[in-house]
Amino acid sequence: MKLTGAQILLKTLKDEGVDTIFGYPGGCVIDIYDELLRSDLRHIFVRHEQGAIHAADGYARASGRVGVCLVTSGPGATNTITGIANAFMDSIPVVIITGQVPSHLIGNDAFQEVDIVGITRPCTKHNYLVNSTEELAQTIKEAFFIASSGRPGPVLVDIPKNVVQNTIEYKAPKTVKLRSYNPTYNPNMKQLHKVVELIREAKRPIIFAGGGVLLSKAARELTELARKTQIPVTTSLMGMGAFPGSDPLCMGMIGMHGTYRANTSSGKCDLMIAVGVRFDDRVTGKTDTFTPHAKIVHIDIDPTSIRKNIPVAVPVVGDCKITLTHLNKLLDETDLSDVQKKRKIWLDQIEDWKKTQPFAYQQGAVIKPQYVVEKLYELTRGDAIISTEVGQNQMWAAQYYHFDNPQHLLTSGGLGAMGFGLPAAIGAQIAFPDKLVVDIAGDASIQMNIQEMATAVQYCLPVKIVILNNGFLGMVRQWQEFFYEKRYACTLVEHAPDFVKLAEAYGAVGLRAQKPEEVEAVLREGLFSPKTVIMDFVIEREECVYPMVPAGAPITEMLLV
Amino acid sequence: MTAEKHVLSILVDNQPGVLSRIAGLFSGRGYNIESLCVAETTEPLVSRITIVTKANTLGIEQINKQLNKLINVIKVHELTGTAYVEREMALIKVKAKPENRAEILRIVDIFRCKVVDVGLEHYTIEITGDEGKLAAIMSLLKPIGIKEIAKTGIIALYREPK
């Protein structure tokens, strides 16, 4: 069968199970787009390549499948860098296909030529330049294999124009086998026996769950472990939903803006079982004072995560789901009858911290952002997929929306990329057309990819955008208030568009609430509308996110309300 | 923890860009390359990279793991702490005034190296050995006057058990 490179590319994508591509055309991918016209692959035309990669990322986070993004060479490719770095930091499986100038022009500074493989080497899990049409199918197959196996991540495939134009005799790609790449999925059982012993001995244990639990789809196994052993659970921002937020054993998020009980318990615990985490500095604060009394068990598929930032007593390299399944089985063979009684003092202590130091805010005449998120949680019964932008809006979303299910919070955790929320919500809505998808945004970050409103409206995606509008770059302002004597250098957003009119200009619905009593009505109208909606909540301008641990301080030393 | 010298022998896919991935890993993560040698092995699809780096215990553990994480890295051997042979080659162009020529040839003889180029005012010496041997000849030739030097960096292989 004779096929062109473009036909081979689309065929291979379909064979990999791809149904949707997020992209933006250009000169070096024009042949691929021409072929797309005759394909049943769905293409979502975004308005900026950064939107394409974030949308593919949001699609991947929500669905657990590989997200695909297609852009042209040069500026098309460089516009995806932020999104690639974002997916890399959060280990999201995305395949990025970039057009490249024809092979004979590479290195000549041709029109719209950049060395995208060179540029993205440090922010992709792996990347490829395809040298010939013969290599194309195998390379795409490898890219999907690498992106979705082991610790997932973005893989970029750069395809010169002549490679997609050439016609060759098509040969189906072989099963991928890379002798240099063999992730360890199965844990060392000897280590797991040690873990069981530690769980039996521990008086004040906690579980710390991260994004790795969600990536390996191990939320059920983690929940089983926690309930069986009566160990309270805290999660990182990336791990929210790994354990039901409404479960009595859930302590909420740990770290810079974590709950009092999560942070305080980390200072007191004698055992921490860390699953699918990488001990980011926003979690640990000052590393030498992190969990001073605890033995740490660290379960992760990536050996580099272990002992990178924090010394570990029992390292376990393995897939979270497989490891937790084995661990649960071992625990089933262990006598845990006294566990309820043994944990009582510890769990009572945590309950007491919860009662004395809850998340709190004072309702006044002006709308409080926390109130908006609380109401949103109430009205959606915790069932919406929430994407966030970055900053205060992100932290309030994490604190006041309780995630009972995995893959319901889409947030830029590692990179902290403003402008992620709207395109990510679009990607999630494409993956789940019938789900309610809400982007919790700030007035500054929403403007970083606001052009994607057009994408949402064009494809009739009923994405809801909740803007917590304080007229500031809120989180930086908060730092300036706390640590720079309120010198608000360039954090005041002196001019912003009228978001209601802007929504209307895009053909969406625009709503606004200015008083607390209007919040519920606006949310009801917005959430139940079948259209794309921006809800603009004019909030208390200098509201802060509490608790806060100053950067580099021990996480047990929190600034409280 | 003090930083110590480590010799890493790394087998990698022999493809364009692989060296850049490894060099980028070192620079991006703040590790340090003291010397670097790359060449094809008997298997044309595989190259061996020998890197000398300085790191403390935790640092070298991370370097090892991070290198292993690269898709094109097939195997990382840490040679330091094991039995291995290391060699380095240098070409040393030394000033050779008539009154020094005999002395230089004596040194060449003692170190069992070779003169590979002779001029009216210089000798170019080829020497192979471990770091210590090269340092020793250098310290002897320095007072005479070294004009230029080119060194390969270390190559190394672990010793097979006897």
Side-chain angles (χ1 to χ4, degrees):
Chain A
M1 180 174 39
K2 293 242 181 224
L3 294 177
T4 65
Q7 286 166 335
I8 291 172
L9 171 65
L10 298 189
K11 181 175 166 39
T12 317
L13 289 178
K14 283 198 64 174
D15 291 347
E16 287 298 318
V18 174
D19 55 18
T20 309
I21 299 173
F22 300 88
Y24 203 101
C28 284
V29 286
I30 196 163
D31 298 275
I32 302 173
Y33 272 86
D34 191 52
E35 200 52 48
L36 263 174
L37 282 179
R38 288 181 287 278
S39 164
D40 55 354
L41 276 169
R42 187 174 189 200
H43 177 265
I44 304 296
F45 168 58
V46 295
R47 297 305 190 271
H48 187 299
E49 287 89 351
Q50 195 185 343
I53 175 79
H54 282 328
D57 176 322
Y59 175 94
R61 285 180 205 240
S63 69
R65 300 164 60 194
V66 179
V68 182
C69 143
L70 168 65
V71 298
T72 193
S73 64
T78 54
N79 274 345
T80 62
I81 304 288
T82 301
I84 296 174
N86 185 53
F88 186 60
M89 288 288 262
D90 290 346
S91 312
I92 306 302
V94 188
V95 169
I96 305 101
I97 296 161
T98 53
Q100 181 56 278
V101 299
S103 300
H104 73 277
L105 287 179
I106 290 179
N108 284 14
D109 298 329
F111 176 66
Q112 293 195 328
E113 181 193 354
V114 293
D115 172 15
I116 196 65
V117 169
I119 291 173
T120 57
R121 241 174 233 138
C123 64
T124 48
K125 183 170 173 187
H126 196 54
N127 60 16
Y128 295 91
L129 170 65
V130 183
N131 291 308
S132 69
T133 314
E134 284 76 7
E135 287 173 22
L136 183 56
Q138 190 65 34
T139 306
I140 295 290
K141 202 173 165 67
E142 271 183 32
F144 274 80
F145 175 70
I146 291 171
S148 58
S149 56
R151 177 178 175 175
V155 178
L156 182 138
V157 184
D158 196 26
I159 313 179
K161 190 167 176 166
N162 55 307
V163 171
V164 287
Q165 285 175 329
N166 284 352
T167 303
I168 60 157
E169 186 62 35
Y170 171 75
K171 269 201 223 108
K174 291 180 288 228
T175 316
V176 178
K177 244 191 124 209
L178 301 164
R179 71 162 159 178
S180 52
Y181 174 69
N182 291 299
T184 308
Y185 289 95
N186 291 314
N188 181 333
M189 291 306 283
K190 243 204 251 159
Q191 296 293 82
L192 290 190
H193 282 286
K194 285 189 208 161
V195 179
V196 171
E197 215 31 60
L198 286 175
I199 290 176
R200 280 186 47 77
E201 284 166 11
K203 293 196 176 67
R204 300 180 307 279
I206 64 173
I207 291 172
F208 168 34
V213 175
L214 304 179
L215 290 165
S216 87
K217 303 190 173 71
R220 192 155 15 114
E221 289 75 9
L222 184 92
T223 307
E224 187 189 331
L225 170 70
R227 288 185 179 154
K228 196 190 315 244
T229 54
Q230 285 294 299
I231 302 181
V233 182
T234 180
T235 70
S236 64
L237 177 66
M238 291 303 297
M240 301 207 79
F243 185 72
S246 53
D247 191 289
L249 285 170
C250 185
M251 300 195 288
M253 182 170 70
I254 194 172
M256 183 174 273
H257 296 291
T259 64
Y260 182 83
R261 58 190 189 283
N263 287 359
T264 309
S265 70
S266 77
K268 305 265 190 228
C269 66
D270 60 356
L271 172 67
M272 173 182 265
I273 303 172
V275 192
V277 297
R278 58 184 179 87
F279 292 102
D280 172 82
D281 57 281
R282 286 294 190 264
V283 161
T284 61
K286 191 167 189 258
T287 45
D288 18 336
T289 56
F290 185 69
T291 61
H293 312 295
K295 284 187 176 147
I296 296 182
V297 171
H298 190 178
I299 300 168
D300 202 277
I301 197 159
D302 180 3
T304 68
S305 293
I306 293 170
R307 307 216 315 155
K308 182 170 66 184
N309 302 333
I310 293 285
V312 168
V314 185
V316 185
V317 177
D319 170 70
C320 291
K321 192 183 182 83
I322 297 173
T323 305
L324 291 178
T325 306
H326 282 301
L327 184 57
N328 282 329
K329 214 184 278 167
L330 285 182
L331 285 163
D332 283 340
E333 296 157 8
T334 311
D335 180 20
L336 292 170
S337 53
D338 58 342
V339 79
Q340 224 34 288
K341 209 170 79 201
K342 247 166 87 179
R343 300 272 189 269
K344 192 169 183 316
I345 303 174
W346 179 230
L347 292 175
D348 285 351
Q349 169 71 76
I350 288 167
E351 192 55 31
D352 186 53
W353 287 328
K354 183 180 180 179
K355 286 207 183 96
T356 51
Q357 293 289 347
F359 285 137
Y361 62 93
Q362 305 260 305
Q363 189 61 272
V366 185
I367 301 173
K368 288 290 175 135
Q370 300 93 330
Y371 175 69
V372 178
V373 180
E374 250 178 10
K375 272 283 154 207
L376 177 69
Y377 175 68
E378 217 177 284
L379 290 172
T380 57
R381 295 185 297 281
D383 195 36
I385 294 178
I386 303 289
S387 72
T388 76
E389 304 292 340
V390 167
Q392 287 184 317
N393 61 79
Q394 182 183 30
M395 290 301 114
W396 284 318
Q399 290 183 336
Y400 288 87
Y401 202 95
H402 307 292
F403 295 90
D404 277 343
N405 296 305
Q407 290 163 324
H408 276 57
L409 173 65
L410 321 176
T411 193
S412 171
L415 190 69
M418 291 167 74
F420 171 74
L422 175 56
I426 288 174
Q429 190 79 78
I430 296 279
F432 295 101
D434 301 326
K435 268 247 175 199
L436 181 61
V437 181
V438 184
D439 173 26
I440 298 181
D443 54 300
S445 45
I446 190 63
Q447 292 187 68
M448 281 218 184
N449 273 318
I450 191 77
Q451 77 287 344
E452 298 310 327
M453 282 298 292
T455 311
V457 173
Q458 177 184 336
Y459 293 96
C460 302
L461 303 173
V463 169
K464 316 298 177 210
I465 298 127
V466 167
I467 300 179
L468 303 173
N469 187 344
N470 56 12
F472 274 114
L473 310 187
M475 188 56 94
V476 185
R477 186 210 59 76
Q478 176 171 335
W479 282 52
Q480 289 168 336
E481 176 185 332
F482 289 175
F483 314 117
Y484 293 84
E485 295 163 334
K486 284 201 173 194
R487 291 188 301 275
Y488 291 165
C490 294
T491 46
L492 177 66
V493 182
E494 289 184 40
H495 180 78
D498 178 330
F499 288 110
V500 173
K501 285 190 187 152
L502 190 68
E504 285 161 2
Y506 275 114
V509 176
L511 302 168
R512 177 172 293 127
Q514 281 167 310
K515 290 190 215 118
E517 51 273 27
E518 294 164 1
V519 169
E520 188 167 341
V522 164
L523 278 173
R524 272 183 193 282
E525 189 183 343
L527 294 175
F528 296 108
S529 160
K531 299 183 105 174
T532 312
V533 183
I534 288 184
M535 290 163 264
D536 183 22
F537 295 92
V538 182
I539 60 160
E540 179 78 53
R541 300 205 60 199
E542 297 188 39
E543 186 68 16
C544 291
V545 180
Y546 289 105
M548 175 170 191
V549 179
I555 60 161
T556 44
E557 290 173 18
M558 290 160 269
L559 306 173
L560 298 164
V561 186
Chain B
M1 275 185 288
T2 47
E4 282 170 0
K5 186 187 118 173
H6 296 266
V7 181
L8 300 174
S9 177
I10 310 163
L11 291 174
V12 300
D13 290 329
N14 183 10
Q15 280 173 14
V18 174
L19 181 59
S20 156
R21 284 181 207 278
I22 289 175
L25 173 70
F26 273 76
S27 64
R29 294 194 178 265
Y31 311 144
N32 169 32
I33 296 179
E34 303 247 304
S35 91
L36 174 76
C37 271
V38 194
E40 213 174 89
T41 62
T42 47
E43 209 182 319
L45 293 174
V46 177
S47 291
R48 183 184 299 279
I49 298 183
T50 312
I51 287 185
V52 180
T53 182
K54 262 196 180 148
N56 62 27
T57 325
L58 280 178
I60 194 68
E61 181 182 327
Q62 266 301 310
I63 292 174
N64 249 306
K65 287 171 165 179
Q66 294 285 358
L67 283 168
N68 269 304
K69 198 169 152 180
L70 293 176
I71 307 285
N72 295 122
V73 169
I74 300 164
K75 193 148 184 67
V76 182
H77 286 288
E78 211 215 306
L79 296 176
T80 307
T82 68
Y84 69 100
V85 257
E86 70 166 52
R87 287 294 179 270
E88 202 173 1
M89 193 182 108
L91 294 171
I92 307 167
K93 198 184 284 172
V94 60
K95 285 184 198 154
K97 296 252 167 69
E99 63 268 32
N100 291 331
R101 295 176 88 93
E103 170 67 5
I104 294 169
L105 291 176
R106 247 194 316 273
I107 293 173
V108 166
D109 198 35
I110 292 166
F111 281 85
R112 277 174 286 168
C113 45
K114 280 196 283 197
V115 173
V116 288
D117 183 40
V118 191
L120 289 175
E121 300 254 305
H122 81 278
Y123 280 132
T124 299
I125 299 165
E126 175 200 310
I127 177 159
T128 310
D130 60 15
E131 269 189 313
K133 182 176 175 185
L134 263 70
I137 193 169
M138 221 84 87
S139 69
L140 290 172
L141 291 175
K142 220 176 214 164
I144 302 171
I146 294 174
K147 290 175 79 158
E148 267 181 304
I149 181 160
K151 285 212 290 178
T152 57
I154 288 172
I155 54 166
L157 277 181
Y158 60 93
R159 287 182 193 270
E160 291 291 333
K162 297 243 159 70

